[in-house]
Structures are given as structure tokens and as C-alpha cells.
Amino acid sequence: LASTAEATMAAGTDHGDQPPPPMSSHVEPPPRRRRSRTDMDADSAPARWNRRVLIYTTCYNVIDGVTLTIRKIEQSILASGGHVCILTTKSGDRRNTNDPIISPSHPNRTVLFLDNAVPIPFLFDPENPTTQYQMGFSLSDTIRKRLDDFGPDVVHITVPDCTGLHVVDYARSRSLPLMGTFHSNMADYMDHYPGMLWLKPIISGFFRHQYNFFHTLFVPTPFMRQRLIETDKMDRITKVRIWGRGVDVDFFSPMHRSLEFRRRLGFDDDDVVVLFVGRLVPEKRPDIFADVVKRLAAEGRGLRFKALVVGAGPYQDEMKALPNTTCLGWVGGAELAVAYASSDIFLFPSSVETFGNVTLEAAASGLALVVDGGCSGHLVQDDMNGYGVGAGDADAYYHATRSLIVDSTERARLASASRPLSLHFDKSKISKEMLRNYDDVVDDFYNDYDGSHLKRDAAYVNPDSFRGGMLPRPYGMRLVEVFFTGSFHVIYYLLGIYLWVQEVFVMPMILRLRRMAASRTGVSKKEALASFGKDEDACRPTAVVFEDLNPATRAMAVSSRSSSLAADTDSFHDINTSILPAASTESFLTGTTSSSSSETSSDAAADNNMDLEAVNASSSCAKHIANIGDGPAARMLAVWFVRTVLFCWRTSAWISIKLGIARQQHRIPQLQRPTQFRQEHVEKCQAR
């Protein structure tokens, strides 16, 4: 051991004439020189970066902002000579695993798929089956063995879900440095789903418990870091640092603007094209985009504009019904870059973005921006490259967009400034910064905490931390985990049976009743089917969309959500959850669908009303779900449920530690640690 330590110091550590450390009863971490930020800036890309990185992400093959960011990191690791192992579920299209453009195969790259993941039924879109999401629950013995065969020396978690907690447990059991990146405001998404607000404290409490074991949590913007610290006291449970996002400034460029592309979509050369790119789900606020388009179209032919929507999701049919609007669905590769560059204004009202990848891509493509001034404020500067608008302010979005449509000089001025500002976020620079972040996390773990997770935990013991105990998976949590896993599987199969019964028996019967009613009123068979939103040969179950319920129900839901948000905010902060009032919840819930409120199509309004009647008739309890789930009683029960569960976890963890049951999980690495991991680290340091 002494000779190994001397060789390591001679290879890469400047200790002058100091003798090697004396032998002791336990294995000391290899001496390493902490690299200063000046050193790292001087050699931004090491000639040979040979770390082995394990990255856990839930849906690697569903191409969205998170997975594209992960693939950029992956490519940077491989280009620098490192090895990467992607641990994920079988979500999405398996062909994306080795996509030749975004993620080509590489000998230093390993992709492991969880063997116990289950599809999430309510996130399935029949029109886009390749976006099917799955949820994993644990790491099987087979997966653990394959991870050991890969031999990671740093673990990176991108999603703090059930499997993520098992990955935390895996890293601690093998004394591996552990870090995470913050990508999605999952808890804040609940503000945009009526009836789901009660889930917010539960999600926040679970995520916070997992973040407590990360050595470092990297967030994308100063705005997000400040918000997590102020609302969640995140700096009290882990180190919070900033790591931004990058864009390929050559791939997304104004040089790709194509008049041929515009003409193929039916756009005139002098039309101002307003672009939306993203998933068509409530939290992205497509309702505000639709409201702006309808108000602009209502002004008549004097306003020359067209709307272009790139993306898919539950709101796709509403977007297709908008006037002056073309929907392309999912678009990728070169066509996406052309779609950006061939537009003129980027209108993106989402207020839950952690960074805003699509906003950055639009800026790199030379578009004037109209985006949320909070979460996307770092990418837009008022009167320079666009306008930052208040969260959920539909009127402000409309006026900002309209001003850019009518004023071509101002639009050109803002667009010309977007591209230079985006160059600060070059993908290559940002990805190389993550390699330095990996080095920092490893250095901190071995230099500051002697390779011990317990020493790191001790540094963060305070009244705001470890509210679920100092074990990642105490026995109390395992009981909840078993119950949740079993319940999820039961619900999954029951829902499958329900959808089958509805598709085979219920929907055809409702269609027959509609046809009979139409024949009595003189409406043609074709019109009756169109009003129901179905055709005769393809009868799929209709999803209950809460925003489409009748106006009286929406008004009650708004009243309930508004009063309950104000009543329980203090209680939520007691468990350090991020509870903020829903951004313009009333405008979201009371906003009519694109078909029913369009002033240019009375037929579409009539069809939509018929469809709403069918939805209400087929689900009589749907009207009351929003009131129950968002009411103060439900949310207070959720708060107390979280407090009770955390107390049980904390108690079971304390008992386990005291009785020595969790010795394998909680053992101090220096006292009794498998020598193979220490020896492997010594050899890796010596090789570097």
C-alpha cells in the first residue's frame, strides 16, 4: 500500500519532499491534488478523461429536453475518452437507443434497461405510441451485477423516482460519489392538472428525501437555484450548484431558413409565422398560445400571420382546430432546425421550465422571443431579443405577440440580437463543464469526506435535513414501497381491463345512441359521428379532459383551488415543499377549448358542445374530482400523510441503526470496506 501511495503521489500529486503517510488500520483514500477553477479553465478539456460514469434517467428513448441534455453529456464523455453507462426503462422507441444522429453506438457506451418497469397507462397517447412512459421500481440482482461489471466511479441521477432511490442505495453500498441534476418541476406540474394538487406535498417530500443524499445537486439557472433555496431550503440538505444547458449553435441557425419549407406549409412569403415547440400538455400552457392565436385571427385579414405548432400531446386536436394554424406533430433532426429558422416569433408561455431548451434553440435560430420572464428570464432581455412576460398573463402574451407582428422593424431588431446572445450557451462548452463537475464531485467526496457517505451526511445534519431518516431506504419506506408497487400493478391491470371494456362495449353503444338521437333530430349520421369526435370504424375510449367540463363545474373548480391555495400554503412550507400559487390557474381552468371559443367556426362550437355532453354523460363523477382533489381537506390530509410517513421512516431508520440491522448500509467505509473498490480507485488515480 505504501508503494502504491508513493507511486500515486509521484504520478500526479505535488507534495514536495513530504514522506508518504504512515500505515494505519484502515485504508486511506489515495492522495489527490484538488484542481482549482483556474487550473480547469486553463485546460478545459483534458487530453484523456477516463472516468466511468453511471447515469440514471427514466425515459432515455423518449426524445425530450431532458433526454437530449443527457445525450449531450454522454457524447462529451465519450469524445473525451471516458466510459458511460445509461440506466433507464424501456420507455419510448427502442430505435432511439442508437440513433445515428443524436446518439450513435460507441464501444465505451453501455445502455441497461430495467427488467421490472411497467408502462404508465394515463400517460399513453394512442396517436404517439413511441412516447409511452414507463416506471421502474427497483434494481434487480441481474442489473446490479451488470452495474458492478461496468464498475462506475461516479453516479449521476437525473430523476429522483423509486428506482433513483435504489440507485442512491447502490452508490452508498459501494462508496461511490453521488450527484444529481435538476431537470423538471414535477411538483409544480400538479398546479396545472385539476384534481391533482393534493399530490404536490407528497412528490416534494419524496424528492427532498432523495436529494438529501446527493453530494451535489446541479440546477440550470440562478433563478432556479434561488427559488429552491428560498422555498425549499435546498442548501440545507445538499450542495446546490449551477450547471447550465447548451445548444448546437451550428445545427440551430438562421442559415436554415427556407422559403420552400414555408410555401410547402401554405405560408406566404410575407406572413409572420408564430411558432410553438413542445409537448402539448397543460403545464406547457398551450391554452394561452391558443387564446393568443384566436384573438389575433379575430382581427381579420389586416393582420398577416400564421401559427406553426411542433409537438404532440393531449391538446393536439385543439391545436389543429385553431384558425391560421398548422400542426406538424413530432419533428426532429434537420426538419426541426428548418422549422425554427423559417419562423419569425417564438411564443412559449410555459412557466415551469427549469432552463428552456426550446427557447434557447429558438434564440440560436434567430427568432424574436415571447416567453415567461421568470423561468426563461435568463434567455430573454426585454427590448433586446424579445419580451419576458409574467406567468400566465394571457393578455400580456397577446399584446407582445401582436406588437411584433405589426412592427416588422422591431421584430427584425429583436431577432438579430437573439443569435449573438445564444452563443454564450454553446453545447460543447457546457458539456465540457459537466466533465469538470464530475471531477469536482469525486474530489470533494474523497478529499473532504474521506470517501465516506456518513461523514458527508454528518456535515448536513440540521433541523431541516434528513426528515425521512439517515438511511435512503429505511424499513418503513420499504413497506410503503411494497404497497405502492403492488397498488400500481393492480391499478395498471384494472385500468387495462376498463379500457378494453369501454372500447369493446361502452363506446359502440354510446355511438349507436348518438346515431339514434341524430336520426330523430334530422342530423346526418356523418355529422353525429363528427360531433362525437370519432369515426364509425375506429372507436377509441375518450379521455376525460377536466378543462372541457361545463362552465359551472369549471367555476366551482376555480373557486375551490383559489381558496385552498391561500389556506394551506403555510402548512406546506412546514415540510419544506415548494408550494406556489398556480400560475393563472383561473385562466387555465376557465379558458374554453379552441373549438368551442373560436369566433370563426360556429360549426366547430356546436360539435364541441355535443362532445362535451357525451363526456359528461359517460363520466358522472368527473365533475367532482377537481373539487375533491384540490380542496383544502384533501391537501391537508396529504400534508399530514407526508409528515406521518417521514416520521415513520425516520423512526425506523433510527431503530435500524441502533440495533445494527442496517450495518451493511450504514457501515463507515473506513472501518470495514471492501478492499476491491479502494484498490480500483487507487489504480485509476495512478493511471491518470
Side-chain angles (χ1 to χ4, degrees), residues 366-380:
L367 304 187
L369 308 177
V370 182
V371 297
D372 184 89
C375 62
S376 299
H378 58 289
L379 299 174
V380 60

Side-chain angles (χ1 to χ4, degrees), residues 659-674:
L659 296 180
I661 298 176
R663 184 176 302 170
Q664 293 298 328
Q665 295 185 38
H666 206 66
R667 180 179 296 159
I668 300 177
Q670 291 89 334
L671 296 181
Q672 191 172 358
R673 177 180 180 171

Side-chain angles (χ1 to χ4, degrees), residues 22-221:
M23 297 291 292
S24 60
S25 60
H26 64 274
V27 183
E28 292 289 347
R32 303 180 59 177
R33 181 176 66 89
R34 183 186 298 276
R35 303 181 70 205
S36 66
R37 179 59 59 183
T38 303
D39 295 334
M40 288 183 285
D41 290 339
D43 56 333
S44 59
R48 188 71 177 173
W49 193 85
N50 59 349
R51 293 207 183 280
R52 306 180 69 87
V53 183
L54 168 61
I55 301 179
Y56 169 66
T57 186
T58 305
C59 306
Y60 181 73
N61 284 329
V62 177
I63 304 303
D64 56 19
V66 177
T67 56
L68 287 176
T69 299
I70 299 305
R71 290 170 189 259
K72 293 173 186 176
I73 298 174
E74 168 192 300
Q75 293 304 310
S76 183
I77 293 173
L78 297 176
S80 300
H83 292 70
V84 61
C85 176
I86 303 295
L87 179 64
T88 185
T89 65
K90 296 179 181 178
S91 304
D93 190 348
R94 290 289 293 272
R95 293 173 297 182
N96 293 332
T97 303
N98 295 307
D99 186 281
I101 297 178
I102 58 177
S103 189
S105 60
H106 193 283
N108 290 0
R109 171 173 167 265
T110 303
V111 180
L112 299 181
F113 293 100
L114 295 174
D115 49 16
N116 59 359
V118 176
I120 304 176
F122 48 84
L123 291 183
F124 178 69
D125 184 359
E127 296 186 5
N128 299 280
T130 59
T131 62
Q132 172 69 64
Y133 288 87
Q134 294 190 9
M135 176 180 288
F137 297 99
S138 62
L139 298 180
S140 65
D141 293 339
T142 302
I143 294 297
R144 289 177 181 270
K145 183 179 184 304
R146 295 189 65 181
L147 292 178
D148 288 339
D149 292 341
F150 174 76
D153 54 15
V154 61
V155 178
H156 175 183
I157 296 177
T158 67
V159 182
D161 59 5
C162 298
T163 305
L165 204 55
H166 283 261
V167 176
V168 170
D169 201 26
Y170 173 85
R172 291 172 68 88
S173 67
R174 286 151 177 78
S175 298
L176 298 174
L178 178 64
M179 56 162 284
T181 45
F182 189 87
H183 294 275
S184 302
N185 290 321
M186 290 291 187
D188 287 348
Y189 288 179
M190 300 302 105
D191 290 336
H192 302 279
Y193 289 87
M196 295 295 175
L197 199 59
W198 62 276
L199 285 174
K200 193 169 184 177
I202 297 177
I203 294 174
S204 297
F206 180 79
F207 284 8
R208 183 181 178 83
H209 173 72
Q210 193 164 155
Y211 287 144
N212 216 150
F213 297 99
F214 290 4
H215 303 157
T216 305
L217 178 64
F218 291 93
V219 299
T221 64

Side-chain angles (χ1 to χ4, degrees), residues 487-615:
S487 300
F488 189 91
H489 281 82
V490 170
I491 293 173
Y492 170 70
Y493 290 114
L494 289 178
L495 185 57
I497 296 173
Y498 165 75
L499 293 176
W500 177 81
V501 171
Q502 188 179 36
E503 182 173 357
V504 175
F505 298 106
V506 178
M507 298 306 299
M509 182 174 60
I510 293 178
L511 285 174
R512 285 194 294 270
L513 293 175
R514 298 296 294 176
R515 286 197 294 267
M516 292 172 59
S519 63
R520 295 193 186 101
T521 58
V523 180
S524 68
K525 177 180 176 181
K526 181 178 180 180
E527 291 173 340
L529 291 173
S531 70
F532 193 67
K534 305 292 176 184
D535 60 59
E536 189 171 7
D537 299 323
C539 303
R540 290 190 176 273
T542 302
V544 178
V545 183
F546 297 105
E547 350 17 320
D548 288 345
L549 298 177
N550 59 63
T553 303
R554 290 198 299 266
M556 289 190 298
V558 171
S559 176
S560 173
R561 288 170 68 84
S562 300
S563 60
S564 59
L565 275 171
D568 296 332
T569 299
D570 293 339
S571 300
F572 283 10
H573 277 294
D574 290 342
I575 58 172
N576 293 312
T577 57
S578 175
I579 298 300
L580 297 178
S584 187
T585 306
E586 182 172 357
S587 65
F588 170 65
L589 287 173
T590 59
T592 55
T593 60
S594 57
S595 297
S596 60
S597 62
S598 173
E599 300 179 11
T600 62
S601 177
S602 59
D603 293 337
D607 291 346
N608 190 66
N609 290 332
M610 296 177 70
D611 188 47
L612 294 185
E613 292 174 7
V615 172

Side-chain angles (χ1 to χ4, degrees), residues 274-293:
V274 181
L275 176 67
F276 179 100
V277 178
R279 293 180 295 121
L280 301 179
V281 291
E283 63 267 21
K284 302 296 183 181
R285 302 310 302 268
D287 56 312
I288 292 182
F289 182 88
D291 178 74
V292 171
V293 171

